[in-house]
Structure formats: structure tokens, C-alpha cells
Amino acid sequence: MRTLNISIADLEFNKFGLKESLSFSELLDLVGKELSKQALKESTFLAEKYNLSALSMEDISKEVKAVRKHAKGNSSSS
């Protein structure tokens, strides 16, 4: 097994609740969770920015159907 040394700021070390030694899979899990949190925050921000959070399920379904219909119409012309 190989050992990898990584430098990290104390603030980030404490933020993620890291320990002095962890497995690669544990590191991947921590990084994956942080990336998921960031993506969720960005999605929420964009939904609020473009007022998508006010759409009803019926409105969302209509939008999805319209996009699918448009995509289906364009796929036959390729």
C-alpha cells in the first residue's frame, strides 16, 4: 500500500472533520459529499434566480413535455 501526503489548511481540516490518517475511499466520500453540497447550493441559487422554485408540478410537466416534443421534432431532421 502507498501513502500520500496532502497539505490542507487548518480551517478546511476542521471544517471537514478530518483525522490524521484516513483511507482513500474515506477521502473520496468526504470530497463527494462536499461536491454534492456545492452542486445543491448552486442548483437552489439558480432555481431562485430564475424563479423556477415557484413553478408547480403541472408547470414543470408542461415544460418537460414541450422540451421533449421539440427534441423529438429535431432528432428526425439530423
Side-chain angles (χ1 to χ4, degrees):
M1 181 182 305
R2 302 272 236 175
T3 300
L4 175 67
N5 293 313
I6 299 174
S7 298
I8 184 169
D10 288 338
L11 181 67
E12 291 169 326
F13 186 88
N14 295 330
K15 174 184 173 183
F16 294 111
L18 297 174
K19 49 189 177 182
E20 293 295 327
S21 178
L22 63 143
S23 69
F24 187 66
S25 59
E26 289 172 319
L27 178 62
L28 287 178
D29 187 47
L30 288 169
V31 171
K33 285 179 183 178
E34 180 60 23
L35 291 174
S36 295
K37 285 180 191 177
Q38 290 177 10
L40 181 58
K41 284 181 184 178
E42 179 69 11
S43 295
T44 302
F45 169 78
L46 291 173
E48 290 172 358
K49 179 179 177 181
Y50 294 107
N51 206 26
L52 299 175
S53 56
L55 290 175
S56 68
M57 284 306 293
E58 183 179 343
D59 292 335
I60 293 169
S61 293
K62 287 178 184 176
E63 290 289 333
V64 169
K65 285 178 185 176
V67 169
R68 287 179 179 163
K69 183 176 180 180
H70 179 75
K72 187 176 182 180
N74 286 337
S75 66
S76 61
S77 63
S78 315

